[in-house]
Amino acid sequence: MPTVTSEKKRPAARSAGRPAPELIFGDLWEYDPSPETADPRLKARYDHFIGGRFTAPASGKYFDSINPANEAKLAELAHGSAADVDAAYAAARKAFDTTWGRMPGRERAKYIYRIARLLQDRAREFAVAETMDGGKAIKESRDFDVPMAAAHFFYHAGWADKLDYVAPGRKVAPLGVVGQVIPWNFPLLMLAWKLAPALAMGNTVVIKPAETTSITALKLAEIFQDAGLPPGVVNIVTGFGDTGAAIMTHPVAAKVAFTGSTEVGKIIMRSLAGTDKKMTLELGGKAANIVFDDAPIDQAVEGIVNGIFFNQGHVCCAGSRLLVHEPVAAEVLAKLKNRVKVLRIGDPLDKNTDIGAINSKEQLGTIERLVATGVKEGATMFQPACKLPSKGYYFRPTIFSGVSMSHRIAREEIFGPVLSVLTFRTLEEAVEKANNTAYGLSAGVWTDKGSRILKMSTELKAGVVWANTYNKFDPASPFGGYKESGFGREGGRQGLLDYCKLA
Amino acid sequence: MFNEIGTVDQVGIEERVAKYTTRSIKKGSKLFGLKLAASMVDLTTLEGKDTPGKVESLCRKALSPSDDPDVPTVAAVCVYPSMVRHARRALGEDTPVRIASVATAFPSGQAPLRTRLAEVKAAVGDGADEIDMVINRGAFLAGEFQLVQDEVAAVVEACGEATLKVILEVSELETYDNIRAASFLAMRVLRPNDFIKTSTGKTTLNATLGNNQVMLEAIRDYYLDTDTPIAMKPAGGIRTAKQALQFLIAVKETLGDEWLNNTRYRFGASSLLNDLLRQIAKERTGAYQAPYYFSEAAESY
């Protein structure tokens, strides 16, 4: 007699020794290559952008920028020295004193709107350049990085003439010149996050993009020229760590902002001790993505994949620790493995690629080293059997199960497509494990129960808690961390407050 | 029931299926997909004004969709029970095209069970290879799950050798949770390679990538649990080749290669076929052909 609930008896075929059913994700219907063909319009050599003009480095030295997808040289970048940084700060100071700092907010807004619109006009070109420069899949630079960067300019342009309402009852004033250093994981987007609030508030900027991903920043400098942005309002100096240190410690800087590793963040903080500079830091993370047994499992799996494999896991708020409720642990892991089997790894310019290239050889080495530690410490590793391109830096999406809190892969930020799966039994245990980390940038909660979401969001020590979703960003929503993930917020009203003096 | 099979998050699943629409299918893979889709069409006419002549013309179209010898025949024709014998006469006994008949007081299902069963038996007796039944949505929404399932089981029995397709009529179930639950109710009494199907095509909202995905995931979970493969048929609302490819991408990335054939996946559609043919011709010649180059035989849903 048929029944509503399944009878859960083993089918005859399986007891007769046939293997458990499996899904076959084979090559019956392969997608043909589908590369994005827009011209990125790259120059062979990029100089610094100082005082509104492209300026050769004082040292005369250049270094190569490599396309991580095929190890080919893309362009030469200027190697910044202390003299270049001095020139940039002088230009920024002059612009602050003579034009930008005195300009009414509604006038500044016009420039920022113009930048946003010009970026939208050249969105495809920027997306291709971003993908070639950093290795991220074109569908991400096209659908996320570039539109989101434009959105940040639009949002902050809107604030520029409404600054009287940022802090009700108080007057706000710009700080002066701001020094900023940004990472390589979202080169254009981080640039927009940093520039837009600083400019809206009336500050001028000296900024250094990461050495592996400077090209879109310098392309954006072309847009600043086209937009007629007054000379010196934004100055871009390229180079390595020493250039960054010169920017962070320069006496003219009224404030410094840094996004990058916790290690470097600590060095910067030490070097600023005893000065009156303001600072904000956005550092690493080791986020917990917590799945309860009543969660919509398939959508949670989708969120887990998005949380850790988005941008090859080069995301400071990546959900790199999966905490899953024991009753559903086996089911979640099985579904996760099936889902990962259909991810497409390869040429980042192909529109069907889900996971692109690792940003640099150094980063690939770090990931390989930490993954080897995971294997050595006894965690169970799963990688799908996909072909990788012969040239370029690629790493298979990796899932470690049977991980405990003392494993290195559960404690250190890997910054790659590597997920550690841990289990928990009660809500208290989940909170305890989630908070048992030096970081506190973000977390995810998956459950059908609204009250549990509210409870978790107050108990988790993380700057962002996503519920039944992951990696959602909006210019209006402040982003930033607890503990060793840094301080200060970016985005929203709170982000603007970090770029002004209150009177 | 709902606790045991798990829930579906609407925002999450719609985000998932939106990604299928960004896949870029070109050249050889596009041609393969188009032909595959053409071979999966259940060419349908379900109108009060259907006549033996209309059904005969539909059958001709099903047998030779276009002049291109590379284009396969469609999977089946889908007609009302009274038209089954006319379709059988037009197609003959020895034919690759199967005859599907809607039955069980389609589309409402509001008739006594014995009337519905008699209709199924009559259609099979007239030569139908496949029966498309509707579930009792009223009973489902009233929480009488056992009744819904018992009725499906009774129709399975009445079908005999014929393949059964169970229409959930998703737009009347309204939530993704209900669609998943109804899928499980049906699958648990179906035979391997029987179908679950989205809609009758007679309501405002029919097959979408979202409800297709909910049902594909239900099929996947049931298959991995019981080793019983259930087939899937979205119906209604799929009019363009582009949409059809997106549905096939969902199949490829959710159920894998074993469902990429017309035993396990069908499209209930009529105007879709000519758009597929038009796109196939475009791939071959590099130019879009005028619509009047393709014979009309089946303007319906």
Side-chain angles (χ1 to χ4, degrees):
Chain A
M1 190 59 203
T3 48
V4 174
T5 48
S6 111
E7 289 168 43
K8 285 284 174 194
K9 66 166 191 243
R10 292 259 159 217
R14 205 164 338 154
S15 53
R18 261 190 27 201
E22 263 188 73
L23 301 173
I24 297 168
F25 297 109
D27 55 4
L28 177 66
W29 183 28
E30 264 306 318
Y31 303 151
D32 279 339
S34 175
E36 172 61 64
T37 50
D39 180 5
R41 291 162 70 188
L42 301 182
K43 293 195 279 193
R45 170 181 276 193
Y46 284 97
D47 291 316
H48 300 311
F49 182 71
I50 297 172
R53 285 184 303 119
F54 286 97
T55 315
S59 64
K61 280 194 225 154
Y62 289 85
F63 63 97
D64 291 347
S65 187
I66 303 294
N67 179 349
N70 55 19
E71 301 173 49
K73 176 177 160 182
L74 281 177
E76 283 184 351
L77 302 172
H79 189 149
S81 61
D84 299 322
V85 172
D86 272 339
Y89 269 104
R93 180 81 240 174
K94 189 173 162 214
F96 180 75
D97 290 339
T98 58
T99 57
W100 198 252
R102 295 155 167 258
M103 196 183 277
R106 63 179 182 277
E107 289 300 313
R108 289 200 300 269
K110 290 181 189 169
Y111 290 101
I112 305 173
Y113 273 126
R114 210 178 289 157
I115 292 166
R117 284 195 302 268
L118 287 170
L119 181 59
Q120 283 186 323
D121 287 349
R122 293 166 65 177
R124 274 182 81 198
E125 172 195 337
F126 268 77
V128 172
E130 189 77 326
T131 286
M132 292 174 75
D133 198 18
K136 69 177 63 200
I138 184 74
K139 74 170 187 191
E140 287 177 9
S141 43
R142 177 194 67 198
D143 297 342
F144 180 74
D145 291 65
V146 176
M148 195 53 111
H152 271 268
F153 283 114
F154 275 119
Y155 174 79
H156 287 96
W159 265 116
D161 61 352
K162 304 172 189 70
L163 296 175
D164 288 344
Y165 306 98
V166 170
R170 312 282 298 270
K171 286 271 175 224
V172 296
L175 295 167
V177 182
V178 179
Q180 301 174 326
V181 173
I182 54 170
W184 45 258
N185 56 344
F186 294 96
L188 185 67
L189 182 58
M190 288 296 119
L191 193 79
W193 276 38
K194 289 270 184 288
L195 290 182
L199 298 185
M201 201 41 99
N203 303 286
T204 56
V205 175
V206 176
I207 190 165
K208 184 190 92 71
E211 62 270 19
T212 55
T213 55
S214 300
I215 289 177
T216 40
L218 294 158
K219 284 178 69 68
L220 197 66
E222 296 168 5
I223 284 185
F224 296 153
Q225 287 182 325
D226 294 345
L229 190 70
V233 172
V234 177
N235 302 278
I236 302 170
V237 181
T238 52
F240 294 83
D242 53 332
T243 319
I247 290 177
M248 291 284 112
T249 56
H250 200 277
V252 170
K255 175 205 163 87
V256 294
F258 172 76
T259 296
S261 71
T262 295
E263 196 188 344
V264 177
K266 285 180 180 173
I267 298 171
I268 293 172
M269 217 165 151
R270 252 179 247 128
S271 70
L272 292 191
T275 71
D276 65 345
K277 288 190 173 76
K278 288 184 73 158
M279 74 181 305
T280 49
L281 296 175
E282 204 263 89
L283 308 173
K286 191 75 188 174
N289 208 354
I290 305 164
V291 179
F292 287 96
D293 60 354
D294 64 340
I297 300 294
D298 281 304
Q299 287 72 54
V301 164
E302 206 53 38
I304 295 162
V305 167
N306 179 36
I308 185 62
F309 300 128
F310 179 59
N311 198 31
Q312 297 78 248
H314 301 330
V315 186
C316 43
C317 52
S320 50
R321 286 185 300 153
L322 173 63
L323 297 180
V324 48
H325 211 166
E326 277 185 14
V328 291
E331 184 187 357
V332 168
L333 190 62
K335 286 194 168 186
L336 193 55
K337 286 177 178 173
N338 265 331
R339 179 68 183 89
V340 170
K341 282 180 198 160
V342 294
L343 289 175
R344 304 171 64 84
I345 298 100
D347 179 9
L349 276 176
D350 192 307
K351 285 181 261 187
N352 290 324
T353 294
D354 296 316
I355 299 184
I358 301 298
N359 188 270
S360 66
K361 202 171 185 171
E362 292 70 44
Q363 186 57 29
L364 184 61
T366 309
I367 295 169
E368 281 167 347
R369 215 165 34 250
L370 277 163
V371 165
T373 318
V375 175
K376 203 170 141 215
E377 289 183 354
T380 312
M381 185 173 80
F382 170 83
Q383 289 181 328
C386 51
K387 272 197 226 97
L388 300 183
S390 55
K391 239 175 152 19
Y393 316 131
Y394 293 91
F395 197 81
R396 288 192 174 83
T398 304
I399 298 168
F400 277 112
S401 50
V403 179
S404 75
M405 289 302 293
S406 56
H407 279 112
R408 267 185 77 192
I409 48 170
R411 309 205 68 79
E412 292 182 28
E413 187 178 33
I414 300 175
F415 226 59
V418 183
L419 178 69
S420 301
V421 184
L422 298 90
T423 59
F424 68 89
R425 291 160 297 178
T426 62
L427 183 139
E428 285 71 28
E429 189 182 346
V431 170
E432 170 90 31
K433 283 183 165 170
N435 287 341
N436 180 218
T437 166
Y439 300 109
L441 192 54
S442 60
V445 179
W446 298 84
T447 171
D448 236 19
K449 211 174 180 132
S451 58
R452 195 182 275 156
I453 292 172
L454 295 175
K455 182 172 171 63
M456 292 299 285
S457 65
T458 53
E459 305 240 325
L460 291 170
K461 294 285 171 274
V464 185
V465 179
W466 284 293
N468 292 329
T469 186
Y470 208 89
N471 275 344
K472 281 280 174 302
F473 302 92
D474 191 278
S477 163
F479 182 89
Y482 271 68
K483 299 192 280 191
E484 291 190 15
S485 289
F487 46 80
R489 292 291 180 267
E490 291 180 309
R493 198 176 65 83
Q494 291 83 350
L496 278 165
L497 286 172
D498 280 327
Y499 280 97
C500 66
K501 283 193 279 234
L502 290 176
Chain B
M1 168 84 194
F2 284 87
N3 282 343
E4 177 214 347
I5 58 171
T7 57
V8 181
D9 183 77
Q10 183 186 347
V11 176
I13 200 151
E14 284 172 4
E15 229 169 64
R16 169 73 186 117
V17 297
K19 289 181 190 164
Y20 295 137
T21 65
T22 68
R23 288 285 188 222
S24 175
I25 307 297
K26 303 269 187 215
K27 300 180 198 135
S29 63
K30 184 169 185 182
L31 197 56
F32 182 92
L34 293 170
K35 285 183 184 166
L36 185 62
S39 78
M40 289 173 167
V41 168
D42 278 6
L43 201 59
T44 303
T45 183
L46 294 170
E47 290 176 346
K49 62 184 180 188
D50 283 347
T51 59
K54 165 96 190 268
V55 168
E56 190 181 337
S57 112
L58 190 80
C59 292
R60 293 269 158 259
K61 178 76 173 173
L63 283 169
S64 54
S66 86
D67 309 334
D68 184 346
D70 277 356
V71 176
T73 60
V74 303
V77 291
C78 182
V79 295
Y80 271 122
S82 60
M83 293 294 148
V84 170
R85 56 202 175 88
H86 302 297
R88 179 53 70 203
R89 186 156 11 91
L91 288 170
E93 290 299 327
D94 184 24
T95 170
V97 177
R98 292 163 68 86
I99 297 173
S101 170
V102 298
T104 70
F106 180 94
S108 71
Q110 299 283 21
L113 181 61
R114 60 182 144 66
T115 315
R116 285 180 268 153
L117 293 178
E119 194 186 359
V120 170
K121 284 179 186 148
V124 173
D126 277 352
D129 304 303
E130 304 177 352
I131 296 294
D132 290 28
M133 71 168 284
V134 290
I135 64 163
N136 188 338
R137 285 90 75 191
F140 182 91
L141 293 173
E144 297 174 42
F145 300 141
Q146 189 68 61
L147 176 63
V148 176
Q149 196 172 49
D150 288 350
E151 288 185 0
V152 175
V155 177
V156 170
E157 227 174 272
C159 276
E161 295 287 299
T163 300
L164 179 63
K165 308 198 192 92
V166 182
I167 302 172
L168 307 182
E169 194 64 310
V170 290
S171 68
E172 293 185 353
L173 300 182
E174 297 198 359
T175 68
Y176 286 133
D177 284 337
N178 280 350
I179 296 171
R180 183 170 167 87
S183 301
F184 272 89
L185 275 183
M187 288 190 298
R188 284 174 180 165
V189 289
L190 289 181
R191 304 155 297 185
N193 296 329
D194 277 341
F195 284 72
I196 53 176
K197 174 177 168 183
T198 57
S199 351
T200 58
K202 298 293 184 193
T203 56
T204 45
L205 186 75
N206 297 300
T208 63
L209 280 171
N211 49 45
N212 180 63
Q213 184 69 16
V214 172
M215 292 167 74
L216 291 179
E217 287 176 357
I219 289 169
R220 179 198 60 196
D221 295 345
Y222 187 68
Y223 172 67
L224 293 177
D225 196 32
T226 64
D227 213 355
T228 309
I230 302 294
M232 170 70 191
K233 176 178 173 185
I238 306 168
R239 293 192 174 80
T240 65
K242 191 171 180 177
Q243 279 177 294
L245 288 178
Q246 288 165 356
F247 277 77
L248 287 181
I249 290 164
V251 176
K252 173 179 160 69
E253 297 193 5
T254 308
L255 287 168
D257 292 2
E258 285 183 306
W259 266 261
L260 287 174
N261 57 61
N262 64 12
T263 312
R264 296 265 176 91
Y265 200 77
R266 298 276 182 86
F267 290 106
S270 46
S271 53
L272 170 65
L273 182 61
N274 267 356
D275 196 50
L276 289 168
L277 299 176
R278 199 157 173 249
Q279 296 293 339
I280 290 170
K282 190 254 169 187
E283 287 301 306
R284 202 188 55 220
T285 62
Y288 281 105
Q289 309 296 311
Y292 48 72
Y293 283 150
F294 304 95
S295 58
E296 287 295 352
E299 273 313 312
S300 173
Y301 72 176

